Amino acid sequence: MFTSLSDRLTSTFKNLRSKGRLSEADIDATIREIRRALLDADVAVPVVRDFTASVRERCLSAEVSGALNPAQQVVKVVNDELVSILGGETRTLRFAKQGPTVIMLAGLQGAGKTTLAGKLALDLRTKGHTPLLVAADLQRPNAVTQLGVVAERAGVPVFAPHPGNQGAETDDVVGDPVAVAREGVAAAATREHDVVIIDTAGRLGIDALLMQQAADIRAAVDPDEVLFVIDAMIGQDAVNTAQAFLDGVDFTGVVLSKLDGDARGGAALSVARVTGRPIMFASTGEKLTDFEVFHPDRMASRILD
Ligand code: GDP
């Protein structure tokens, strides 16, 4: 990801290096190239506008124009702004002070929620936690079975709609996802699991009923974190999808999945800024270990490398 954006920015900065002091015209030419590179990477238009305005303002200030090495200063300004639109500080999970920490996953079908549930569970288990996965996706054929498979690979138990019927055949899965989520959290408390991860249903597109269901689950279990999982490959659609989930369910953090693909990066650069919610994790493959905490500063350095 970001290969093209990274190449474009790097060559823009290379052109600057041969110059001594930078004139306003030099800076404007640079800003134009940055704007084009961001738009081509599918970054949302308002985000590009804010980004370039801020970079321009800082570049025209004494900080850059009076510097001994203006090109390096421009790179620093762009780096700082990238870190800022990616959310600034690294944000890790908030754990409940009492009782199990409840983490709810939301997002479109195919975004990578079920896979993420397994990744998060494995990561937490490795760190000494005792997570329980809850299968509250009763919409998609096979979803409960799929979560069962993921849970087994992660070495954690799963709470499925029929107690004692884990890995149930699809046809057997009936019931109310809100009740399953609520019962799953209650089961975690009695079985002394310190974290509950609730997988919820998604559709291929924004769907009012399903959004309402996710909002109802949220209201029923009062999660400590609601993680919105988004496929980094969806490009310009990322902003609308994220906004719809923000309005419909609200979330505390974002997980970018499929960062291993050849996405142009626009989703990553737009979603945190547009929603005001931090990107917390990155999913980088189909294996359960393909998972990392998202560090805005490291991502910015990777882009400008
Ligand atoms: P859900 O519908 O949101 O639960 O999505 P799934 O977890 O079922 O994932 C949908 C598909 O994307 C599956 O084939 C996963 O193996 C795949 N997938 C999930 N996360 C990643 C990732 O980070 N990288 C890649 N390459 N594939 C992923």
Side-chain angles (χ1 to χ4, degrees), residues 50 52 68 123 154 165 176 179 212 232 234 240 252 260 270 288:
D50 285 359
T52 47
L68 284 176
D123 185 62
N165 195 14
D176 170 9
Q212 187 57 48
I234 73 173
N240 290 341
T252 57
D260 50 312
S270 308
L288 291 193

Side-chain angles (χ1 to χ4, degrees), residues 272-287:
R273 171 53 62 99
V274 168
T275 63
R277 301 292 184 271
I279 302 171
M280 293 173 62
F281 300 104
S283 228
T284 54
E286 296 196 65
K287 292 202 303 290

Side-chain angles (χ1 to χ4, degrees), residues 19-81:
K19 297 184 189 288
R21 289 179 69 102
L22 298 183
S23 66
E24 190 165 339
D26 293 330
I27 287 172
D28 280 335
T30 305
I31 301 288
R32 269 197 301 279
E33 285 181 44
I34 294 174
R35 178 182 296 123
R36 272 199 294 270
L38 291 171
L39 289 172
D40 287 348
D42 276 345
V43 181
V45 173
V47 175
V48 175
R49 200 183 305 126
D50 285 359
F51 185 91
T52 47
S54 188
V55 169
R56 183 173 191 276
E57 189 181 320
R58 284 184 59 190
C59 284
L60 289 176
S61 73
E63 163 183 23
V64 172
S65 51
L68 284 176
N69 188 334
Q72 271 176 4
Q73 289 299 108
V74 172
V75 177
K76 183 180 177 306
V77 167
V78 172
N79 180 76
D80 290 352
E81 291 297 324

Side-chain angles (χ1 to χ4, degrees), residues 107-116 119 137 140 146 199-200 202 229 256-261 282-286 290:
L108 293 181
Q109 183 176 316
K113 292 182 294 302
T114 305
T115 310
L116 178 83
K119 291 177 175 185
D137 176 357
R140 188 160 55 95
Q146 195 197 339
D199 189 20
T200 67
V229 184
L256 285 175
S257 71
K258 311 191 193 179
L259 283 197
D260 50 312
S283 228
T284 54
E286 296 196 65
D290 295 331

Side-chain angles (χ1 to χ4, degrees), residues 20-297:
R21 289 179 69 102
L22 298 183
S23 66
E24 190 165 339
D26 293 330
I27 287 172
D28 280 335
T30 305
I31 301 288
R32 269 197 301 279
E33 285 181 44
I34 294 174
R35 178 182 296 123
R36 272 199 294 270
L38 291 171
L39 289 172
D40 287 348
D42 276 345
V43 181
V45 173
V47 175
V48 175
R49 200 183 305 126
D50 285 359
F51 185 91
T52 47
S54 188
V55 169
R56 183 173 191 276
E57 189 181 320
R58 284 184 59 190
C59 284
L60 289 176
S61 73
E63 163 183 23
V64 172
S65 51
L68 284 176
N69 188 334
Q72 271 176 4
Q73 289 299 108
V74 172
V75 177
K76 183 180 177 306
V77 167
V78 172
N79 180 76
D80 290 352
E81 291 297 324
L82 279 175
V83 173
S84 164
I85 69 167
L86 288 167
E89 301 279 301
T90 302
R91 179 51 165 88
T92 49
L93 284 174
R94 269 186 311 231
F95 289 93
K97 291 200 181 65
Q98 254 198 331
T101 297
V102 179
I103 302 170
M104 172 180 164
L105 308 182
L108 293 181
Q109 183 176 316
K113 292 182 294 302
T114 305
T115 310
L116 178 83
K119 291 177 175 185
L120 204 49
L122 177 63
D123 185 62
L124 288 166
R125 185 171 75 80
T126 314
K127 291 178 174 143
H129 294 281
T130 54
L132 175 69
L133 291 178
V134 175
D137 176 357
L138 310 187
Q139 209 75 32
R140 188 160 55 95
N142 237 4
V144 175
T145 312
Q146 195 197 339
L147 190 70
V149 171
V150 160
E152 196 174 322
R153 278 163 56 202
V156 302
V158 60
F159 182 91
H162 297 295
N165 195 14
Q166 291 171 9
E169 291 300 317
T170 314
D171 293 342
D172 290 337
V173 176
V174 286
D176 170 9
V178 179
V180 170
R182 198 187 290 118
E183 286 162 23
V185 172
T190 50
R191 295 182 205 166
E192 299 191 356
H193 291 281
D194 68 343
V195 183
V196 193
I197 300 167
I198 304 174
D199 189 20
T200 67
R203 286 259 169 94
L204 290 173
I206 303 299
D207 177 288
L209 269 180
L210 221 57
M211 202 66 88
Q212 187 57 48
Q213 181 186 96
D216 290 345
I217 293 176
R218 179 181 186 149
V221 301
D222 188 20
D224 299 282
E225 299 279 11
V226 181
L227 301 183
F228 168 62
V229 184
I230 186 157
D231 179 343
M233 308 283 282
I234 73 173
Q236 289 282 0
D237 278 347
V239 167
N240 290 341
T241 307
Q243 190 64 52
F245 274 87
L246 191 72
D247 297 340
V249 191
D250 201 359
F251 47 85
T252 57
V254 177
V255 179
L256 285 175
S257 71
K258 311 191 193 179
L259 283 197
D260 50 312
D262 58 359
R264 285 178 280 188
L269 291 175
S270 308
V271 167
R273 171 53 62 99
V274 168
T275 63
R277 301 292 184 271
I279 302 171
M280 293 173 62
F281 300 104
S283 228
T284 54
E286 296 196 65
K287 292 202 303 290
L288 291 193
T289 45
D290 295 331
F291 168 78
E292 51 196 64
V293 171
F294 187 88
H295 298 288
D297 53 347

